[in-house]
Amino acid sequence: MSEGLKIVTIGGGSSYTPELVEGFIKRYEELPVKELWLVDIEEGKGKLEIVGNLAKRMIEKAGLSIEIHLTLDRKAALKDADFVTTQFRVGLLEARSKDERIPLSHGVLGQETNGPGGLLKGLRTIPVILDIVKDIQEQCPDAWLINFTNPAGMVTEAVLRYTTHKKVVGLCNVPIGIEMGVAKLLGVDPSRIRIDFAGLNHMVYGLDVYLDGTSVKKHVIELLTSPENNSFVKNVEGQGWEPEFIRSLNVLTCPYHLYYYKKDEMLQKELKNFKEGTTRAEVVKKLEEELFELYKDPNLTTKPLQLEERGGAYYSDAAVRLIASIYNDKRDIQPVNTINNGAIASIPNDSAVEVSCIITKEGPKPIINGDLPVAVRGLVQQIKSFERIGAEAAVTGNYDTALLAMTINPLVPSDKVAKVILDEMLEAHKEHLPQFEQTVQA
Ligand code: G6P
C-alpha cells in the first residue's frame, strides 16, 4: 500500500456520507487518507454534489489535506484504490418502500433485510455488486472491499461464493450499537465492554459479554427484559423479552431478532405503520429531505446531529476502525462478516458469518471456534439457507430458486402466499431485475 491512501466510496451521494467523512477525520493520524472518491450514478448526481460539497467543507474545517473527488465514472475512480466501500441502494428509497409495503399488503412482514423485502433487495443488489467486483479486479485487484450495502449477509455471501475476489468484508453497525448500548445500560465507557459475537448479519448473538474481562452476561440478560433495552438501533423499536424466555435462551439478542421471536407484535406494529403511511421508508424519505436541506447550507461544516436518527448510527466508527486496523495490522477484535471456514461448525465453510474477529492486514481471523447453542442454531441455519438460495436466485435469475428462497424464509407463512408476493414484487421491481426479464414477461 502506498503512503497516503486512496479510498473509493460507491453510493457516495448517500445521506450517510458525512458519518464516514467524520470517521476519516477522527482517525486521520492512524489512517492517512490522501484521496476520497465519492462515486454515484446519474440519478444520484444532485445528492452527490450536495453531500460532496459538505464533505469538502468538513475536511477544510478540520484542516486536513484529504482530497475529495466527486464522480459518476466508477471505473476511473477505482483505479489503484486501496479500499472500496459500498453503500448504495438500487432503486433508491422508492424500492425500499415497495419492499416494505407489498408484503404488508398481504399481511406479511415487509422489511429491507428480513423476509420478502430482504430477498428482493438481495435480488436487485447482488448483480450490481458482482459488476463492481469485476471493476475492482480490473482496476485495483489488491483493494479491500468493505460492503455496508444491505442485505449485507446475502451480499457478502454472493461475493465470497460467486467471485474470486477474497478481500471482502461485510460490515454492520448492529454489533457496535449493541456494545455501545450495553455500555450505556451499565453506565461504563464502551472501551471496557467486549462481546463475543457469533451468527449472521442481522441474526447475530452475543455468546458472552465482559466488563473489564469478567463475564456480566447474567446481569445484562436481566436488563434485556425491559422494553427500552433490547433494541439498540433507531429503526427497530424495542420491546422487553419475557424474562423466562431470555434467561433460558441465555445469549444476547440483536434488534432484528424481534422480527422472529415477537413475530406477531412486530407484524401488528408494521401493519399499523402501513395503514398510516409511516413505514420506515416513508419516515426515512422525510428525514433525508430534511438532511439534504441542512447539507445544502454553505455554513455547515460538521455532521448534523439529526443524522443520528438513522438506523446506521456508529457505522463510520465501525467502518473506519476496521479500515484502520487492516491498514495498521492492529490485531484488535471487531465483529465483521467474513468467510466461515469452520468458525461456526453448523454453517457451511464457504458461507459468510458475522463473528468477532482479530483484524489483521491479511483480513479478519475469527476468534470463535465451535458452534452456536442448540436453541439458536436452527434459526441461524434456516436464515443461512435463505441467504444462500437467495444469492443463487440473484445470480441465475431462476424463478423457482427465488420462490424457494421466499418460501423457506421463516417470516413467510406458505408457498402460496410466497408466490403471490414474489410475482407482485418481481413485477414492481422489474426495472432493477434484468436477470428475471424472461420470467416477468412470461
Ligand atoms: C440498521 C442496520 C443497517 C440499516 C440501517 C437502516 O442499523 O444495521 O443495516 O441500513 O439500520 O437505517 P434507516 O435509518 O435507513 O432505517
Side-chain angles (χ1 to χ4, degrees):
M1 257 172 237
S2 55
E3 256 315 293
L5 295 166
K6 176 173 180 180
I7 315 261
V8 179
T9 297
I10 298 177
S14 157
S15 55
Y16 278 116
T17 292
E19 272 269 343
L20 195 63
V21 173
E22 186 189 69
F24 287 129
I25 292 173
K26 275 203 221 150
R27 288 181 201 252
Y28 186 74
E29 294 266 297
E30 55 171 338
L31 192 71
V33 177
K34 190 163 161 263
E35 297 169 41
L36 173 61
W37 288 69
L38 302 177
V39 184
D40 221 299
I41 52 169
E42 191 60 44
E43 294 94 304
K45 195 174 170 198
K47 282 168 71 181
L48 177 67
E49 265 162 29
I50 296 170
V51 84
N53 286 332
L54 170 59
K56 287 180 185 168
R57 296 195 298 274
M58 288 172 74
I59 299 293
E60 199 186 333
K61 162 97 189 289
L64 298 175
S65 57
I66 303 175
E67 292 165 26
I68 304 277
H69 298 265
L70 313 181
T71 181
L72 305 185
D73 187 344
R74 185 170 86 201
K75 273 199 186 187
L78 285 172
K79 183 101 191 88
D80 300 330
D82 296 299
F83 289 91
V84 180
T85 70
T86 40
Q87 51 173 38
F88 56 89
R89 174 175 273 124
V90 179
L92 311 172
L93 279 171
E94 206 35 55
R96 180 176 185 176
S97 180
K98 292 176 188 166
D99 284 345
E100 294 172 348
R101 296 192 68 89
I102 296 175
L104 284 170
S105 74
H106 297 282
V108 175
L109 204 123
Q111 210 278 337
E112 71 166 342
T113 62
N114 292 264
L119 174 62
L120 267 288
K121 193 170 191 327
L123 298 182
R124 298 194 300 278
T125 308
I126 287 169
V128 178
I129 201 94
L130 296 187
D131 258 8
I132 292 173
V133 171
K134 261 192 219 142
D135 288 354
I136 291 177
Q137 290 187 311
E138 243 175 70
Q139 305 296 327
C140 51
D142 285 333
W144 280 96
L145 167 60
I146 316 277
N147 175 64
F148 321 125
T149 303
N150 273 327
M154 201 190 283
V155 169
T156 310
E157 177 88 20
V159 175
L160 287 172
R161 299 209 4 251
Y162 295 100
T163 79
T164 51
H165 191 75
K166 296 302 167 214
K167 287 177 127 182
V168 56
V169 185
L171 195 63
C172 182
N173 66 324
V174 159
I176 198 174
I178 298 177
E179 278 170 352
M180 299 294 230
V182 166
K184 201 165 152 204
L185 290 180
L186 299 178
V188 301
D189 191 83
S191 62
R192 297 174 58 195
I193 296 293
R194 207 194 88 209
I195 300 178
D196 288 340
F197 287 104
L200 310 177
N201 182 239
H202 289 186
M203 181 49 61
V204 74
Y205 294 88
L207 301 187
D208 210 336
V209 47
Y210 311 90
L211 171 63
D212 300 329
T214 303
S215 176
V216 286
K217 181 166 84 167
K218 211 166 167 223
H219 177 49
V220 173
I221 282 181
E222 283 306 320
L223 297 174
L224 298 183
T225 58
S226 154
E228 311 84 68
N229 294 351
N230 67 350
S231 174
F232 305 124
V233 290
K234 288 275 161 85
N235 57 335
V236 186
E237 206 179 307
Q239 302 176 52
W241 295 123
E242 293 298 328
E244 297 82 356
F245 161 67
I246 192 69
R247 273 183 215 132
S248 54
L249 192 71
N250 199 28
V251 283
L252 261 65
T253 47
C254 85
Y256 291 84
H257 286 125
L258 290 164
Y259 293 115
Y260 300 88
Y261 299 137
K262 284 186 186 286
K263 274 194 205 75
D264 193 46
E265 293 92 322
M266 294 303 272
L267 176 61
Q268 295 315 322
K269 274 191 177 201
E270 295 294 336
L271 285 171
K272 187 165 175 278
N273 292 336
F274 173 73
K275 285 195 195 103
E276 292 170 357
T278 52
T279 65
R280 187 68 190 165
E282 282 138 356
V283 172
V284 167
K285 255 189 218 163
K286 273 213 184 119
L287 217 91
E288 282 231 325
E289 279 162 25
E290 283 167 31
L291 282 172
F292 275 92
E293 274 314 304
L294 291 172
Y295 292 175
K296 278 183 195 161
D297 178 358
N299 296 316
L300 182 73
T301 52
T302 50
K303 178 190 90 178
L305 270 185
Q306 284 90 328
L307 187 50
E308 288 171 13
E309 290 311 308
R310 296 294 301 277
Y314 306 126
Y315 110 96
S316 70
D317 267 328
V320 183
R321 126 182 134 157
L322 171 66
I323 297 174
S325 292
I326 295 177
Y327 175 69
N328 294 307
D329 196 25
K330 255 195 180 169
R331 299 178 176 264
D332 55 349
I333 297 174
Q334 299 181 28
V336 295
N337 288 267
T338 188
I339 188 159
N340 182 31
N341 269 343
I344 302 179
S346 52
I347 297 292
N349 280 342
D350 60 346
S351 270
V353 287
E354 189 166 285
V355 285
S356 296
C357 292
I358 299 175
I359 309 297
T360 76
K361 69 175 181 332
E362 276 92 36
K365 311 283 174 210
I367 58 167
I368 307 289
N369 189 356
D371 214 337
L372 296 166
V374 82
V376 303
R377 200 180 290 167
L379 180 57
V380 171
Q381 285 185 322
Q382 186 73 5
I383 296 295
K384 179 45 71 186
S385 301
F386 164 72
E387 287 182 355
R388 281 180 80 100
I389 298 168
E392 187 186 329
V395 172
T396 58
N398 184 293
Y399 177 86
D400 298 2
T401 312
L403 182 62
L404 181 62
M406 179 80 92
T407 307
I408 66 167
N409 188 285
L411 300 179
V412 176
S414 79
D415 57 346
K416 199 168 173 188
V417 176
K419 194 167 186 344
V420 171
I421 295 178
L422 179 64
D423 290 348
E424 200 176 317
M425 291 181 94
L426 287 177
E427 177 64 33
H429 288 297
K430 67 177 172 202
E431 185 192 345
H432 302 294
L433 293 170
Q435 76 275 43
F436 285 94
E437 206 180 355
Q438 300 299 330
T439 314
V440 180
Q441 274 171 358

Coordinates of all heavy atoms in Angstrom, one line a residue, residues 8-15 17 37-49 51-52 69-75 77 87-90 92 292:
V8 N -12.3 4.6 -2.1 CA -13.4 4.9 -3.0 C -14.7 4.5 -2.4 O -14.8 3.3 -1.9 CB -13.2 4.1 -4.4 CG1 -14.4 4.4 -5.3 CG2 -11.9 4.5 -5.0
T9 N -15.7 5.3 -2.4 CA -17.0 5.0 -1.8 C -18.1 5.0 -2.8 O -18.4 6.1 -3.4 CB -17.3 6.1 -0.6 OG1 -16.3 5.9 0.4 CG2 -18.7 5.8 0.0
I10 N -18.6 3.8 -3.1 CA -19.7 3.7 -4.1 C -21.0 3.9 -3.5 O -21.3 3.2 -2.5 CB -19.5 2.4 -4.9 CG1 -18.1 2.4 -5.5 CG2 -20.6 2.2 -5.9 CD1 -17.7 1.2 -6.3
G11 N -21.8 4.8 -4.0 CA -23.0 5.3 -3.3 C -22.6 6.5 -2.5 O -23.2 6.7 -1.4
G12 N -21.7 7.2 -3.0 CA -21.1 8.4 -2.2 C -22.1 9.5 -2.0 O -21.9 10.3 -1.1
G13 N -23.2 9.5 -2.8 CA -24.2 10.5 -2.6 C -25.2 10.2 -1.4 O -26.1 11.0 -1.2
S14 N -24.9 9.1 -0.7 CA -25.8 8.7 0.4 C -25.8 9.8 1.5 O -24.8 10.4 1.8 CB -25.3 7.4 0.9 OG -25.7 7.2 2.3
S15 N -26.9 9.9 2.2 CA -27.0 10.8 3.3 C -26.1 10.4 4.5 O -25.8 11.2 5.4 CB -28.4 10.9 3.8 OG -28.9 9.7 4.2
T17 N -22.9 9.7 4.1 CA -21.5 10.0 3.8 C -20.9 10.9 4.9 O -19.7 10.7 5.2 CB -21.4 10.6 2.4 OG1 -21.7 9.5 1.5 CG2 -20.0 11.1 2.1
W37 N -12.7 9.3 -3.0 CA -13.5 9.4 -4.2 C -15.0 9.0 -3.9 O -15.2 7.8 -3.5 CB -13.0 8.5 -5.3 CG -11.7 9.0 -5.9 CD1 -10.5 9.1 -5.2 CD2 -11.5 9.6 -7.2 NE1 -9.5 9.6 -6.1 CE2 -10.1 9.9 -7.3 CE3 -12.3 9.8 -8.3 CZ2 -9.5 10.5 -8.4 CZ3 -11.7 10.4 -9.4 CH2 -10.4 10.7 -9.5
L38 N -15.9 9.9 -4.1 CA -17.3 9.6 -3.9 C -17.9 9.3 -5.2 O -17.9 10.2 -6.1 CB -18.0 10.8 -3.2 CG -17.4 11.1 -1.8 CD1 -18.1 12.4 -1.2 CD2 -17.5 10.0 -0.8
V39 N -18.4 8.1 -5.4 CA -19.0 7.7 -6.7 C -20.5 7.5 -6.7 O -21.0 6.9 -5.7 CB -18.3 6.4 -7.2 CG1 -18.8 6.0 -8.6 CG2 -16.8 6.4 -7.1
D40 N -21.2 8.0 -7.7 CA -22.6 7.7 -7.7 C -23.1 7.5 -9.1 O -22.3 7.6 -10.1 CB -23.4 8.8 -6.9 CG -24.5 8.2 -6.1 OD1 -25.4 7.6 -6.7 OD2 -24.5 8.3 -4.9
I41 N -24.4 7.3 -9.3 CA -24.9 7.2 -10.6 C -25.7 8.4 -11.0 O -25.9 9.3 -10.2 CB -25.9 5.9 -10.7 CG1 -27.0 6.1 -9.6 CG2 -25.1 4.6 -10.6 CD1 -28.1 5.1 -9.7
E42 N -26.1 8.5 -12.3 CA -26.7 9.7 -12.8 C -27.9 10.2 -11.9 O -27.9 11.3 -11.5 CB -27.2 9.4 -14.2 CG -27.7 10.6 -15.0 CD -26.7 11.7 -15.3 OE1 -25.5 11.3 -15.6 OE2 -27.0 12.8 -15.1
E43 N -28.8 9.2 -11.5 CA -29.9 9.6 -10.7 C -29.5 10.2 -9.3 O -30.3 10.8 -8.6 CB -30.8 8.4 -10.4 CG -31.5 7.8 -11.6 CD -30.7 6.7 -12.2 OE1 -29.6 6.9 -12.5 OE2 -31.3 5.6 -12.3
G44 N -28.3 9.9 -8.9 CA -27.8 10.4 -7.6 C -26.9 11.6 -7.7 O -26.4 12.0 -6.7
K45 N -26.9 12.2 -8.9 CA -25.9 13.2 -9.1 C -26.2 14.5 -8.2 O -25.2 15.0 -7.6 CB -26.0 13.7 -10.6 CG -24.9 14.5 -11.1 CD -25.0 14.8 -12.5 CE -24.0 15.8 -12.9 NZ -24.3 16.4 -14.2
G46 N -27.4 14.8 -8.1 CA -27.8 16.0 -7.3 C -27.3 15.8 -5.8 O -26.7 16.7 -5.2
K47 N -27.7 14.6 -5.3 CA -27.3 14.3 -3.9 C -25.8 14.3 -3.7 O -25.3 14.7 -2.7 CB -27.9 13.0 -3.5 CG -29.4 13.1 -3.1 CD -30.1 11.7 -3.0 CE -29.7 11.0 -1.8 NZ -30.3 9.6 -1.7
L48 N -25.1 13.7 -4.7 CA -23.7 13.6 -4.6 C -23.0 14.9 -4.5 O -22.1 15.1 -3.7 CB -23.1 12.8 -5.9 CG -21.6 12.7 -6.0 CD1 -21.1 11.8 -4.9 CD2 -21.2 12.2 -7.4
E49 N -23.5 15.9 -5.3 CA -22.9 17.2 -5.3 C -23.2 17.9 -3.9 O -22.2 18.5 -3.3 CB -23.5 18.1 -6.4 CG -22.6 18.0 -7.6 CD -23.2 18.5 -8.9 OE1 -24.1 19.3 -8.8 OE2 -22.8 18.0 -9.9
V51 N -23.8 16.5 -0.9 CA -23.1 15.8 0.2 C -21.6 15.9 0.0 O -20.8 16.1 0.9 CB -23.7 14.4 0.4 CG1 -23.0 13.4 -0.5 CG2 -23.5 13.9 1.8
G52 N -21.2 15.9 -1.3 CA -19.8 16.0 -1.6 C -19.2 17.4 -1.2 O -18.1 17.5 -0.7
H69 N -13.0 13.8 -4.3 CA -13.3 13.8 -5.7 C -14.7 13.3 -5.8 O -15.1 12.3 -5.2 CB -12.4 12.8 -6.5 CG -11.0 13.2 -6.4 ND1 -10.4 14.0 -7.4 CD2 -10.0 13.0 -5.5 CE1 -9.1 14.2 -7.1 NE2 -8.8 13.6 -5.9
L70 N -15.5 14.0 -6.7 CA -16.9 13.5 -6.9 C -17.0 13.1 -8.4 O -16.6 13.8 -9.3 CB -17.9 14.7 -6.7 CG -17.7 15.5 -5.4 CD1 -18.8 16.6 -5.4 CD2 -17.8 14.6 -4.2
T71 N -17.6 11.9 -8.6 CA -17.6 11.4 -10.0 C -18.8 10.4 -10.2 O -19.2 9.8 -9.3 CB -16.3 10.7 -10.4 OG1 -16.3 10.3 -11.7 CG2 -15.9 9.5 -9.5
L72 N -19.1 10.3 -11.5 CA -20.1 9.3 -11.9 C -19.4 8.2 -12.6 O -20.0 7.2 -13.1 CB -21.2 9.9 -12.8 CG -22.0 11.1 -12.3 CD1 -23.1 11.5 -13.3 CD2 -22.6 10.8 -10.9
D73 N -18.0 8.3 -12.8 CA -17.3 7.3 -13.6 C -16.6 6.3 -12.6 O -15.5 6.6 -12.1 CB -16.2 8.1 -14.4 CG -15.4 7.2 -15.3 OD1 -15.5 5.9 -15.1 OD2 -14.8 7.7 -16.2
R74 N -17.3 5.2 -12.4 CA -16.9 4.2 -11.3 C -15.5 3.6 -11.7 O -14.6 3.6 -10.8 CB -17.9 3.2 -11.2 CG -17.7 2.2 -10.2 CD -18.9 1.3 -10.0 NE -18.9 0.2 -10.9 CZ -20.0 -0.5 -11.2 NH1 -21.1 -0.1 -10.7 NH2 -19.9 -1.5 -12.0
K75 N -15.3 3.2 -12.9 CA -14.1 2.6 -13.3 C -12.9 3.5 -13.1 O -11.9 3.1 -12.5 CB -14.1 2.2 -14.8 CG -14.7 0.8 -15.0 CD -14.4 0.3 -16.3 CE -15.2 -1.0 -16.5 NZ -14.9 -1.8 -17.6
A77 N -12.6 6.0 -11.1 CA -12.4 6.2 -9.7 C -11.7 5.1 -9.0 O -10.9 5.3 -8.2 CB -13.8 6.4 -9.0
Q87 N -22.1 1.4 -0.4 CA -23.3 1.9 0.5 C -24.4 2.4 -0.4 O -24.9 3.4 -0.2 CB -22.8 3.0 1.4 CG -22.1 4.1 0.7 CD -21.8 5.3 1.7 OE1 -21.4 5.1 2.8 NE2 -21.9 6.5 1.2
F88 N -24.8 1.5 -1.4 CA -25.8 2.0 -2.3 C -27.1 1.3 -2.1 O -27.2 0.2 -1.5 CB -25.3 1.9 -3.8 CG -24.9 0.5 -4.1 CD1 -25.9 -0.4 -4.6 CD2 -23.6 0.0 -3.9 CE1 -25.5 -1.7 -4.9 CE2 -23.3 -1.3 -4.2 CZ -24.2 -2.2 -4.7
R89 N -28.2 1.9 -2.7 CA -29.5 1.3 -2.6 C -30.0 1.3 -4.1 O -30.4 2.3 -4.6 CB -30.4 2.1 -1.7 CG -31.8 1.6 -1.7 CD -32.6 2.3 -0.7 NE -32.6 1.7 0.6 CZ -32.2 2.3 1.8 NH1 -31.9 3.6 1.8 NH2 -32.1 1.6 2.9
V90 N -30.1 0.1 -4.7 CA -30.6 0.0 -6.1 C -32.1 0.4 -6.1 O -32.8 -0.2 -5.3 CB -30.4 -1.4 -6.7 CG1 -30.9 -1.5 -8.1 CG2 -28.9 -1.8 -6.6
L92 N -33.2 3.2 -5.2 CA -33.4 4.3 -4.1 C -34.5 4.0 -3.1 O -35.0 2.8 -3.0 CB -33.7 5.7 -4.8 CG -32.7 6.0 -6.0 CD1 -33.1 7.2 -6.7 CD2 -31.2 6.1 -5.4
F292 N -30.9 16.7 3.6 CA -30.3 17.3 2.4 C -30.5 18.8 2.4 O -29.6 19.6 2.0 CB -30.7 16.6 1.1 CG -29.8 15.4 0.8 CD1 -30.2 14.2 1.3 CD2 -28.6 15.6 0.2 CE1 -29.4 13.1 1.0 CE2 -27.8 14.5 -0.1 CZ -28.2 13.2 0.4

